């Protein structure tokens, strides 16, 4: 069922469902999340069951305001404080040591917890209304089945789970790819997942370079090699290779969809092509919706032009590499 995120009564109703241990899908500035109260292990278990997600993959806990994060943390270090000050509310998740007994199931048994304070006004309204009803934080993974493309519109959530799931509709997500994740629980902060915030901005705020994730850092499903998978096989190719392949293909045998920035289709080609924007933020904004749209046309293959090498494209490139590995 769908509720409007613009409607105060609908927000109150969704907050009440969360308070009573139910699931609510809601918009954030990154992607839609599938939420349950973080302090209710049975409610959190229902998320894992609906997504088909392995129980040892921890969930991010979302809070209405930065101060609400403290209840979940056993100690905020300097790096976490700096990141919170600079980027919250916004598309950044921090991994910090977890307060004893808090959000056990959501954290997948880890000694740490992922925390995020989203900037989307509907997410904020819902989290604040839930807090009023005694909910300290909302655990929410992206609202897609395990391993599939994250949802950036309410309709995508319905496409994933059907009409049975309660969705608060907040329109399209601005950022379009999931939050950047910085692990602040070890000796040096490490980037576990690139998002919209460029690595250089994170490093400038931290005053030190980001480390590579430790070999023993917890398995993060968004960081599994294969993820974000369309049904069609996705291939990521440099522009020159894509161009040559398209010229050689001619008409016919393969049902192919093309997502490219600089490479156009050969004259007269009947193939479907979507144009990838030149701006990395716009490309991120459209990425998952475009992949879903191309996939829905039922091609055998989706050929995608590799994005440029600079760090502004790290988030988009990361998602495409994982989609291609599926
Ligand atoms: O933008 C986002 O982060 C979205 C919206 C809904 O907030 N959420 C999201 O959640 O992408 P999910 O579950 O699809 O991805 C969260 C990632 C997973 O890869 C998970 O393993 C990792 O965060 N994660 C969560 N808690 C962690 C922890 N304590 N240690 C290491 N990784 C953690
Ligand atoms: Mg996800």
């Amino acid at each position: 069922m769908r509720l409007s995120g613009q409607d105060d009564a609908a927000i109150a109703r969704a907050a009440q469902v969360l308070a009573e241990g139910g699931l609510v899908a809601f918009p954030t500035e990154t992607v839609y999340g599938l939420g349950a109260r973080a302090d209710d292990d049975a409610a959190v278990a229902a998320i894992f069951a609906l997504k088909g997600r392995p129980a040892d993959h921890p969930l991010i806990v979302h809070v209405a305001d930065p101060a609400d994060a403290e209840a979940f943390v056993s100690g905020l270090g300097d790096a976490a404080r700096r990141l919170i000050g600079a980027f919250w509310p916004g598309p950044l998740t921090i991994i910090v040591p977890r307060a004893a007994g808090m959000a056990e199931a959501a954290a997948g048994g880890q000694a740490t917890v992922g925390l995020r304070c989203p900037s989307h006004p509907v997410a904020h309204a819902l989290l604040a209304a839930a807090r009023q009803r005694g909910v300290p934080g909302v655990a929410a993974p992206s609202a897609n089945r395990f391993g599939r493309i994250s949802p950036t519109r309410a309709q995508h959530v319905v496409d994933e789970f059907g009409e049975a799931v309660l969705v608060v509709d907040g329109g399209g997500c601005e950022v379009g790819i999931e939050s950047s994740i910085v692990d602040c629980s070890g000796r040096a902060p490490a980037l576990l997942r690139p998002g919209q915030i460029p690595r250089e901005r994170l490093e400038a705020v931290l005053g030190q370079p980001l480390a590579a994730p430790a070999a023993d850092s917890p398995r993060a499903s968004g960081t599994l090699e294969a993820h974000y998978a369309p049904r069609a096989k996705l291939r990521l190719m440099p522009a020159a290779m894509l161009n040559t392949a398209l010229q050689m293909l001619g008409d016919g045998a393969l049902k192919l969809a093309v997502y490219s920035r600089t490479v156009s289709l050969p004259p007269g080609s009947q193939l479907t092509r979507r144009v990838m924007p030149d701006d990395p933020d716009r490309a991120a904004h459209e990425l998952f919706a475009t992949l879903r749209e191309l996939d829905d046309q039922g091609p055998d293959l989706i050929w995608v032009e590799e994005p440029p090498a600079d760090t502004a494209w790290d988030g988009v490139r990361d998602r495409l590499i994982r989609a291609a590995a599926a």
Side-chain angles (χ1 to χ4, degrees):
M1 206 195 45
R2 230 180 280 207
L3 298 176
S4 165
Q6 306 310 317
D7 175 357
D8 289 347
I11 294 285
R13 195 167 145 206
Q16 189 60 32
V17 170
L18 285 172
E20 288 166 7
L23 303 189
V24 176
F26 63 98
T28 79
E29 68 278 24
T30 58
V31 301
Y32 275 73
L34 179 65
R37 61 184 297 164
D39 59 346
D40 181 337
D41 288 357
V44 168
I47 296 181
F48 284 94
L50 187 58
K51 271 190 70 111
R53 175 165 169 151
D56 62 345
H57 287 198
L59 308 182
I60 296 168
V61 176
H62 298 68
V63 291
D65 292 293
D68 299 338
E70 312 237 333
F72 293 93
V73 183
S74 71
L76 277 185
D78 179 53
R81 280 183 204 288
R82 286 179 184 228
L83 292 173
I84 289 173
F87 299 110
W88 278 12
L92 172 79
T93 296
I94 54 167
I95 309 295
V96 290
R98 183 165 59 90
M102 288 300 278
E104 192 75 47
Q110 307 282 345
T112 55
V113 61
L115 292 169
R116 173 157 127 72
C117 176
S119 63
H120 195 295
V122 173
H124 181 266
L126 177 65
L127 292 167
R131 183 183 54 194
Q132 275 183 359
R133 291 165 175 78
V135 176
V138 171
S142 52
N144 53 278
R145 289 180 190 275
F146 181 66
R148 310 244 336 135
I149 304 170
S150 296
T152 55
R153 297 176 189 162
Q155 183 59 46
H156 296 162
V157 180
V158 174
D159 292 344
E160 288 288 316
F161 298 116
E163 293 287 347
V165 67
L166 182 62
V167 189
V168 179
D169 191 342
C173 300
E174 184 65 32
V175 174
I177 56 173
E178 304 84 349
S179 59
S180 309
I181 304 180
V182 179
D183 184 354
C184 301
S185 69
R187 250 173 298 134
L191 186 61
L192 298 190
R193 179 173 73 183
Q196 184 201 38
I197 305 168
R199 160 185 279 273
E200 294 84 355
R201 276 194 66 208
L202 295 167
E203 293 179 334
V205 165
L206 289 165
Q208 62 178 309
L210 282 159
D216 64 346
S217 78
R219 268 166 37 138
S221 57
T223 63
L224 288 181
E225 194 177 317
H227 214 68
Y228 310 110
R231 284 175 288 266
K233 178 88 193 130
L234 187 144
R235 287 255 156 71
L236 194 55
M237 302 181 237
M241 185 191 291
L242 175 59
N243 194 38
T244 307
L246 285 171
Q247 301 294 336
M248 285 172 54
L249 182 72
D251 268 344
L254 270 181
K255 269 198 346 199
L256 192 68
V258 177
Y259 190 28
S260 60
R261 209 169 43 82
T262 66
V263 177
S264 34
L265 297 177
S269 169
Q270 301 296 311
L271 299 177
T272 302
R273 176 191 176 209
R274 291 288 173 277
V275 179
M276 188 185 294
D278 284 325
D279 174 66
D281 288 343
R282 285 208 47 221
H285 172 76
E286 293 172 15
L287 178 68
F288 291 145
T290 305
L291 290 180
R292 278 176 182 271
E293 187 201 330
L294 290 175
D295 204 28
D296 286 346
Q297 300 184 4
D300 302 312
L301 285 168
I302 303 174
W303 283 359
V304 182
E305 179 180 340
E306 277 177 6
D310 61 285
T311 57
W313 287 85
D314 283 355
V316 169
R317 192 180 322 100
D318 170 80
R319 303 314 185 276
L320 287 171
I321 288 172
R322 292 178 205 287

